Amino acid sequence: MIEAESTELQINQSVDLKPYNSLAISAVAEYFCSVQNISQLESALAFANNNNLILTPIGGGSNLVIASDLTGLVLHIDLKGIEIISSDKETINIRFAAGENWHSSVTYCLENGCYGLENLALIPGDMGAAPIQNIGAYGVELCDFVHSVEVIERATGNLKRLSCDDCQFGYRTSVFKQTAKDSYVITAVTLTLNKTPKVNIDYPSLQTSLETDNPSPADIYQAVCHIRHSKLPDPQDIPNVGSFFKNPIVNKDVADTLAQNHPELPIYAYSPSQSKLAAAWLIEHCGFKGCRKGDVGVHDKQALVLVNYQGDGAAVLALAEEIKSVVLQTFAVELQVEPRIYGNLT
Ligand code: EPU
């Protein structure tokens, strides 16, 4: 164990990453620390910078494929705290520290009369990871509620606040996956929520599972939990990182041709010139749904979800490559991996 300068930060060597590895791939961090406050975070950054170590910040680990042992410092963000920042007649701004669990935060908001996040119930992971891929489900995305995101700049240790516009959110993407990839560690997220219920029931499968035409936010929360429980495996039971691929965005003419040849393919409007295709449908119609290849496979209720029975990083990534290649050959559509992949195998 190494004591970093003048803080109580503990940095350990050769740490098993199992608790942070939703795919249960066996992997060890060269150095590992967990930070509970900003000064510990600053010390951890200084330790990585001074020793020229690769830094891998992690939250709950639910959207990471840790494909092999990691060199450098793995930094677990364990900052806690929920605070009301301001409110007016209609809305309330709540600041969540990056280490707050996402689903517990959704539940907290609903129980305290702050509405909007119900459709995002049960998404695994922590608050600090949510802006990176602009988490979304059942017709709602995180960016609909982001007021600002607080970060610490990795190179300088400077604290900054990014506005919702600064974050450049898009479908499962943000500045944190693009131009600012690896520039910042997210420390807190402030969300603007509604004080009066404003429900969103546009998503077809949500609509059909609701038992009333006039649902409350609590009805939506229950329905979303029910759908997710029935379709998506719990990583504790069957290791997985949720959707392994993004729904591909293609030009409208490509979507029109696909629709002519495959009238059942679900296609959603995305922008005036682009459409979004259901990747799960494409994968299912290449015969992968429910398949098992050695120690890895595809979930039998949601073809977008890869599951790991006992495989290693190479086995998971080989299956992902096979799916990509067969979907490309069959439909001429290129799938993109959605979780972040760490390790020496890519
Ligand atoms: N479908 C299939 N086969 C399947 C599953 C789905 O053909 O095995 C078809 C369904 O018929 C449906 C369409 O695909 O018409 C969409 O399916 P679903 O509603 O299950 O959503 P998805 O597009 O597959 C996305 C998100 C999920 C999110 C759900 C619900 C991405 C990459 N995935 O999946 O997010 O929970 O919508 O909003 O956008 C995640 O990101 O990890 C994740 C789970």
Side-chain angles (χ1 to χ4, degrees), residues 136-138 171-172 203 228 231-232 242-243 245-247 266 268 278 280-281 284 289 302-304 338:
Y138 306 104
Y171 166 61
R172 291 296 191 279
Y203 201 80
R228 290 190 77 96
K231 284 201 182 161
L232 297 167
S243 299
F245 299 101
K246 293 194 203 184
N247 286 326
Y268 314 96
W281 191 95
E284 180 173 342
K289 191 170 182 176
Q302 223 310 354
L304 260 190
E338 195 263 317

Side-chain angles (χ1 to χ4, degrees), residues 115-324:
Y115 305 115
L117 303 182
E118 307 76 50
N119 301 50
L120 304 177
L122 270 194
I123 294 182
D126 290 346
M127 185 57 77
I132 296 177
Q133 55 147 339
N134 184 23
I135 57 170
Y138 306 104
V140 168
E141 287 183 324
L142 178 82
C143 64
D144 303 335
F145 304 98
V146 170
H147 171 274
S148 54
V149 175
E150 288 164 61
V151 297
I152 185 163
E153 199 166 33
R154 291 199 203 180
T156 61
N158 290 340
L159 296 165
K160 282 190 180 178
R161 179 186 293 274
L162 306 188
S163 69
C164 186
D165 280 351
D166 294 336
C167 294
Q168 297 172 25
F169 289 118
Y171 166 61
R172 291 296 191 279
T173 192
S174 72
V175 75
F176 307 108
K177 277 182 120 177
Q178 309 283 335
T179 49
K181 189 168 173 234
D182 297 336
S183 305
Y184 301 123
V185 173
I186 293 173
T187 56
V189 180
T190 299
L191 301 178
T192 304
L193 301 169
N194 300 312
K195 283 176 154 179
T196 42
K198 257 191 214 157
V199 297
N200 178 333
I201 53 165
D202 294 344
Y203 201 80
S205 69
L206 177 59
Q207 235 165 52
T208 47
S209 73
L210 283 162
E211 280 157 17
T212 154
D213 294 339
N214 188 18
S216 67
D219 293 332
I220 292 180
Y221 175 94
Q222 296 298 348
V224 167
C225 290
H226 177 76
I227 306 174
R228 290 190 77 96
H229 277 311
S230 64
K231 284 201 182 161
L232 297 167
D234 183 339
Q236 301 288 341
D237 305 329
I238 308 177
N240 77 91
V241 286
S243 299
F244 206 93
F245 299 101
K246 293 194 203 184
N247 286 326
I249 292 159
V250 297
N251 285 336
K252 263 205 163 137
D253 53 338
V254 173
D256 289 345
T257 309
L258 282 165
Q260 271 169 18
N261 298 332
H262 310 283
E264 340 73 72
L265 166 63
I267 300 179
Y268 314 96
Y270 183 73
S271 74
S273 60
Q274 292 174 306
S275 305
K276 193 158 81 170
L277 313 175
W281 191 95
L282 300 173
I283 295 167
E284 180 173 342
H285 286 80
C286 288
F288 286 105
K289 191 170 182 176
C291 78
R292 181 163 179 163
K293 309 246 167 176
D295 286 329
V296 295
V298 175
H299 190 50
D300 58 352
K301 299 199 181 72
Q302 223 310 354
L304 260 190
V305 179
L306 302 200
V307 293
N308 185 21
Y309 298 105
Q310 268 180 332
D312 57 12
V316 173
L317 296 182
L319 176 58
E321 278 309 318
E322 185 184 342
I323 291 171
K324 276 178 79 168

